[in-house]
Amino acid sequence: MLTYNELIDLRNKLANGEIQLELAKTQFWGDLKEGQRSWNTKDWQERRPKFLKDKCEICSGTETLTVQHLSHPRKYAEYLREITSKYAKDHIDTNPEINKSEFTDYVLKNHDYVPVLLCPNCMSKNPSERVRKIPKYRCADCKHEFDEATFRSVNELISIFYENKDAYEVVDKCFVSKDKYRNKNNLSSVKYWMQRERAKNKDSETIEKEAFLLHLNDSIKYLSFEDAITACKKCAYNFDVNKMELCPKCKQHYKGLQYPTCIDCLPEDKRKVALENIQFGKEWHEMHKRLGID
Ligand SMILES: [Zn+2]
Ligand SMILES: [Zn+2]
Ligand SMILES: [Zn+2]
């Protein structure tokens, strides 16, 4: 695992183009061992005592003081998705249209078409299917009864889509992606994913580098203890596991991170509401337990 200073060095070299992206990734991840945690490294152990204050910054206690991070690095994959979306948007703004035959090829190659069934008489969608009666279908709109429903071909749908992308005929998500996700798309979203893929292929190196630099910055910030405080074991546990911190008013009770104070320190009227909500929540939970829902 790279030390804090090595990480800064790597980030600067990558940002200045002194090192290739692939090599930077190898240096960063290749050195990571399974299950290794930054707080077990020598580098961390050496810098920790310089950071730690002599008491918990939440409760002023002194028992088993630890470094409590208030934020964590965001994942590289998360940044990658975000930056790709940004490049996709730019690409779509400058190249809003796709050649129709290229689009048709893309649709057919990457999707299974699950057509929406239509009434052969009036072309309205989804005629009711009857289990026992014959003929099998009955159109709710024109009352026509029939055995074989009809449907539009992919080419027909694409032609309608090129006339009007929001047309009633093309809003249905009848294109199922052939990848493992089996996502259901309508033609508008197929078009978006095709353009996103083009943007990604065109600028893959730039996109990956931008995302990796953001992830490196997060990792450096984490190792720097910049967004961290000294906390005792109890406060650290409450913060991480229960998402709670000590009430700033009474400094005795813990409160949820989203609330300004603990329940006891709320003004009278708000306290009543909070207590009622808790009571209601408890009863609700009990009832669910009894009914076996929870
Ligand atoms: Zn504490
Ligand atoms: Zn009909
Ligand atoms: Zn309080």
Side-chain angles (χ1 to χ4, degrees):
M1 191 175 276
L2 296 180
T3 64
Y4 175 56
N5 287 323
E6 285 168 345
L7 212 52
I8 292 176
D9 195 42
L10 181 69
R11 191 260 322 267
N12 293 344
K13 276 186 183 160
L14 181 64
N16 299 333
E18 289 166 41
I19 182 175
Q20 292 296 308
L21 178 64
E22 280 316 306
L23 185 58
K25 280 185 183 171
T26 313
Q27 287 194 3
F28 182 65
W29 279 308
D31 206 35
L32 280 182
K33 291 184 196 77
E34 187 83 35
Q36 192 184 24
R37 296 280 178 253
S38 36
W39 51 87
N40 291 329
T41 61
K42 190 165 158 269
D43 179 50
W44 182 287
Q45 302 285 355
E46 279 172 6
R47 288 184 303 111
R48 202 179 83 111
K50 286 177 219 149
F51 167 81
L52 281 186
K53 306 216 167 42
D54 54 5
K55 59 183 186 210
C56 170
E57 289 178 73
I58 299 174
C59 74
S60 299
T62 52
E63 207 190 324
T64 329
L65 298 176
T66 60
V67 179
Q68 174 62 44
H69 280 93
L70 303 179
S71 63
H72 293 269
R74 285 179 63 200
K75 290 198 174 72
Y76 170 63
E78 217 175 284
Y79 275 126
L80 199 57
R81 247 194 326 270
E82 199 174 290
I83 304 294
T84 306
S85 299
K86 191 181 83 180
Y87 275 77
K89 193 183 170 300
D90 288 349
H91 175 76
I92 291 167
D93 286 346
T94 42
N95 308 278
E97 292 315 319
I98 306 178
N99 172 290
K100 191 171 162 185
S101 76
E102 282 175 38
F103 182 61
T104 308
D105 286 348
Y106 181 85
V107 172
L108 293 172
K109 193 175 150 228
N110 298 291
H111 302 84
D112 291 320
Y113 175 44
V114 184
V116 173
L117 298 180
L118 306 171
C119 163
N121 186 45
C122 72
M123 299 298 269
S124 68
K125 289 177 189 175
N126 300 314
S128 350
E129 199 177 324
R130 310 189 291 187
V131 185
R132 287 188 195 86
K133 270 191 179 170
I134 283 175
K136 195 177 169 190
Y137 297 102
R138 181 172 187 272
C139 173
D141 285 348
C142 74
K143 318 296 180 206
H144 180 53
E145 299 185 349
F146 49 96
D147 272 321
E148 297 257 339
T150 182
F151 57 87
R152 293 186 195 277
S153 71
V154 174
N155 281 321
E156 239 178 306
L157 284 184
I158 290 176
S159 290
I160 297 171
F161 179 69
Y162 269 73
E163 290 292 317
N164 172 11
K165 65 179 174 48
D166 301 314
Y168 166 76
E169 291 87 344
V170 297
V171 294
D172 305 284
K173 295 179 176 177
C174 47
F175 294 93
V176 183
S177 68
K178 283 183 183 171
D179 58 19
K180 61 176 175 177
Y181 303 112
R182 307 292 298 165
N183 287 323
K184 290 178 181 166
N185 297 289
N186 58 23
L187 288 175
S188 284
S189 54
V190 171
K191 184 177 171 189
Y192 171 77
W193 288 106
M194 183 180 176
Q195 287 172 309
R196 188 186 168 98
E197 205 174 290
R198 285 186 167 182
K200 203 169 155 182
N201 292 340
K202 189 160 68 82
D203 293 309
S204 64
E205 177 91 12
T206 321
I207 293 172
E208 282 178 32
K209 185 170 167 179
E210 214 172 305
F212 190 60
L213 277 170
L214 287 168
H215 178 64
L216 276 183
N217 280 339
D218 273 12
S219 306
I220 289 167
K221 185 176 157 199
Y222 188 79
L223 287 185
S224 77
F225 303 147
E226 183 189 306
D227 196 19
I229 56 168
T230 300
C232 72
K233 209 172 166 186
K234 193 176 165 202
C235 288
Y237 177 81
N238 273 304
F239 191 93
D240 276 341
V241 179
N242 300 333
K243 302 280 173 242
M244 292 179 93
E245 61 188 1
L246 209 62
C247 166
K249 206 162 169 190
C250 66
K251 299 205 191 285
Q252 274 188 21
H253 304 116
Y254 282 85
K255 64 165 191 71
L257 294 180
Q258 69 272 39
Y259 302 116
T261 65
C262 73
I263 290 180
D264 281 353
C265 292
L266 284 175
E268 182 62 30
D269 51 331
K270 285 198 180 142
R271 195 176 77 197
K272 249 181 99 187
V273 176
L275 286 171
E276 275 166 14
N277 280 340
I278 289 173
Q279 189 54 33
F280 177 73
K282 271 187 190 158
E283 282 167 16
W284 185 253
H285 190 69
E286 282 299 312
M287 188 181 81
H288 275 212
K289 247 189 189 159
R290 269 204 314 278
L291 297 174
I293 302 172
D294 202 83

